[in-house]
């Protein structure tokens, strides 16, 4: 069993580098928030009162993914995602990562959205990087990483490699979701999913959840602003917990009332369990060619992982 001793200087340099990366991420995120807030201040009031769905914001752009038939696109990218998470060699993982990055570039979706998606999974990945080297049992041939002077705490290098590989696969799937979900209106995507055999009830539930989660978020923001204007300040204490519990309860009550009004309005307009859809799909030779290219790329990643030697 090989043992690698990590000097304190290297550990400090690594922690300093991570702190610098986190500080840079926080800085750019703060700048983006300030810029977004300034844009809202100069926007008309009508625009502020309309919570726009985020996945449809990039619909106007044109690319190969925008022109691709949504049914073939969903099947092809889903196949690639399943193959990407099933590989074991770093060569195949790197190939999948390159394909995912190139896909985002071809789709021309803003990288800030991809960064937000990656930021959402960063906590899970960091947790794996910390826990797995400490919990994966040692086997014959595994390397041990110990910090200088703290030999009783040993990190399993194989566990660290497994955690890094899982994190890389999560990044691949998160990136491939960008061209899948942001290059077509969400209603069209759900219509394509229904054409692929998913029950219509599930598709309608996803459509309603997607639409009204923004409405409820907007309602929550308005209620929070109202509490802040009336002097509420978040502190540690039972009064803050009492106010927050009242806030959550009132949010549920308002959400239930709004849901009831929306459902009654849908019934008045003829809703009988199925949304009317005017989406028409037509496969072209270009769709088949683009889908075949993705299938070949996916099978190439799998072959590189399974090829002996």
């Amino acid at each position: 069993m090989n043992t690698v001793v990590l000097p304190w200087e290297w550990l400090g340099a690594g922690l300093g580098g991570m702190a610098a990366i986190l500080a840079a991420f926080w800085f750019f995120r703060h700048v983006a928030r300030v810029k977004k807030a300034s844009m809202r201040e100069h926007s008309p009031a009508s625009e502020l009162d309309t919570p726009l769905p985020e996945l449809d914001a990039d619909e106007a752009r044109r690319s190969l993914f925008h022109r691709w038939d949504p049914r073939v696109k969903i099947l092809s990218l889903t196949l690639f995602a399943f193959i990407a998470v099933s590989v074991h060699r770093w060569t195949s993982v790197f190939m999948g990562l390159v394909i995912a990055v190139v896909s985002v570039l071809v789709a021309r979706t803003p990288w800030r959205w991809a960064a937000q998606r990656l930021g959402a999974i960063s906590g899970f990945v960091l947790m794996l990087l910390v826990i797995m080297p400490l919990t994966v049992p040692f086997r014959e041939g595994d390397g041990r990483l110990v910090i200088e002077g703290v030999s009783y705490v040993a990190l399993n290098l194989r566990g660290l490699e497994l955690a890094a590989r899982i994190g890389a696969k999560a990044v691949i799937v998160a990136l491939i979701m960008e061209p899948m979900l942001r290059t077509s209106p969400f209603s069209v995507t759900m219509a394509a999913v229904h054409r692929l055999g998913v029950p219509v009830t599930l598709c309608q539930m996803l459509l309603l959840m997607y639409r009204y989660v923004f409405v409820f978020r907007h309602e929550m923001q308005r209620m929070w602003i109202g509490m802040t204007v009336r002097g509420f300040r978040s502190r540690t204490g039972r009064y803050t917990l009492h106010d927050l519990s009242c806030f959550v309860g009132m949010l549920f009550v308002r959400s239930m009332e709004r849901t009831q009004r929306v459902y009654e309005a849908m019934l008045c307009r003829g809703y009988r369990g199925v949304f009317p859809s005017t989406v028409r799909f037509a496969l072209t030779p270009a769709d088949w060619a683009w889908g075949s290219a993705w299938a070949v790329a996916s099978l190439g990643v799998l072959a590189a992982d399974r090829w002996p030697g």
Side-chain angles (χ1 to χ4, degrees), residues 27 56 82 92 95 97 117 126 128 135 140 145 149 158 161-163 174 176 230 241 264 267 279 291 298:
F27 173 76
D56 291 347
F82 274 101
S92 302
M95 290 173 59
L97 187 60
R117 193 182 298 275
L126 291 176
L128 287 179
T135 57
E140 185 178 357
L145 177 65
R158 182 171 60 89
E161 181 186 359
L162 288 174
I176 211 65
R230 289 169 176 81
L241 293 177
E264 292 174 355
L267 293 178
V279 180
S298 302

Side-chain angles (χ1 to χ4, degrees), residues 44 87 160 199 218:
V87 298
L160 182 61
H218 185 65

Side-chain angles (χ1 to χ4, degrees), residues 81 83-88 93 164-174:
I83 289 179
V85 300
S86 66
V87 298
H88 302 286
V93 174
R165 191 184 305 149
I166 294 174
K169 294 178 182 179
V171 171
I172 293 174
V173 175

Side-chain angles (χ1 to χ4, degrees), residues 22-23 79 125 133 165 173 191 193 201 260 290:
L22 292 176
L79 173 65
V125 175
R165 191 184 305 149
V173 175
V193 170
T201 304
Q260 186 65 28
W290 194 226

Side-chain angles (χ1 to χ4, degrees), residues 5-277:
V5 180
L6 181 65
W8 281 102
E9 293 80 5
W10 292 15
L11 180 62
L15 294 177
M18 292 180 60
I21 293 174
L22 292 176
F25 176 77
W26 178 87
F27 173 76
F28 287 114
R29 187 175 181 182
H30 177 70
V31 171
R33 285 183 176 179
V34 171
K35 184 178 179 180
K36 188 175 181 180
S38 63
M39 293 176 62
R40 286 182 175 179
E41 291 178 358
H42 295 86
S43 301
S46 59
E47 295 182 3
L48 293 176
D49 293 335
T50 305
L52 295 176
E54 296 179 351
L55 289 179
D56 291 347
D58 197 49
E59 179 199 353
R61 296 176 182 265
R62 296 289 93 188
S63 69
L64 291 173
F65 287 98
H66 290 84
R67 295 190 296 267
W68 201 3
D69 187 278
R71 297 171 297 176
V72 185
K73 176 172 61 178
I74 292 172
L75 284 177
S76 302
L77 299 185
T78 302
L79 173 65
F80 173 77
F82 274 101
I83 289 179
V85 300
S86 66
V87 298
H88 302 286
R89 296 182 179 178
W90 275 107
T91 303
S92 302
V93 174
F94 181 75
M95 290 173 59
L97 187 60
V98 170
I99 293 175
V101 172
V102 172
S103 302
V104 178
L105 293 175
V106 173
R108 300 178 183 177
T109 57
W111 277 100
R112 67 177 184 275
W113 292 343
Q116 292 176 359
R117 193 182 298 275
L118 294 177
I121 66 173
S122 60
F124 170 74
V125 175
L126 291 176
M127 180 183 65
L128 287 179
L129 291 174
V130 173
I131 294 178
M132 291 191 67
L134 295 172
T135 57
V136 172
F138 285 95
R139 296 178 182 175
E140 185 178 357
D142 290 347
R144 299 173 71 253
L145 177 65
V146 295
I147 302 175
E148 185 179 7
V150 193
S151 58
Y152 52 86
V153 178
L155 304 179
N156 192 334
L157 293 180
R158 182 171 60 89
L160 182 61
E161 181 186 359
L162 288 174
R165 191 184 305 149
I166 294 174
K169 294 178 182 179
V171 171
I172 293 174
V173 175
L175 290 178
I176 211 65
M177 290 298 106
E178 290 296 311
M180 180 187 294
L181 298 178
R182 293 194 187 275
T183 54
S184 298
F186 193 70
S187 58
V188 176
T189 302
M190 286 295 100
V193 170
H194 173 56
R195 300 292 178 85
L196 293 175
V198 178
V200 63
T201 304
L202 179 59
C203 295
Q204 292 185 15
M205 290 175 60
L206 291 175
L207 271 173
L208 290 173
M209 180 187 68
Y210 162 73
R211 177 62 184 91
Y212 286 99
V213 69
F214 299 96
V215 177
F216 294 147
R217 186 181 68 176
H218 185 65
E219 184 72 23
M220 182 180 67
Q221 292 174 349
R222 294 180 60 182
M223 291 176 57
W224 188 262
I225 292 174
M227 290 177 59
T228 305
V229 171
R230 289 169 176 81
F232 172 77
R233 296 295 182 270
S234 180
R235 300 183 179 90
T236 56
R238 63 185 185 90
Y239 294 106
T240 299
L241 293 177
H242 176 268
D243 294 339
L244 290 178
S245 62
C246 292
F247 171 81
V248 174
M250 185 57 64
L251 178 63
F252 280 133
V253 171
R254 291 194 178 187
S255 302
M256 189 65 184
E257 292 176 350
R258 184 185 286 268
T259 302
Q260 186 65 28
R261 293 197 302 268
V262 169
Y263 181 68
E264 292 174 355
M266 290 167 57
L267 293 178
C268 292
R269 289 165 174 79
Y271 176 73
R272 293 299 180 268
V274 178
F275 287 130
S277 177

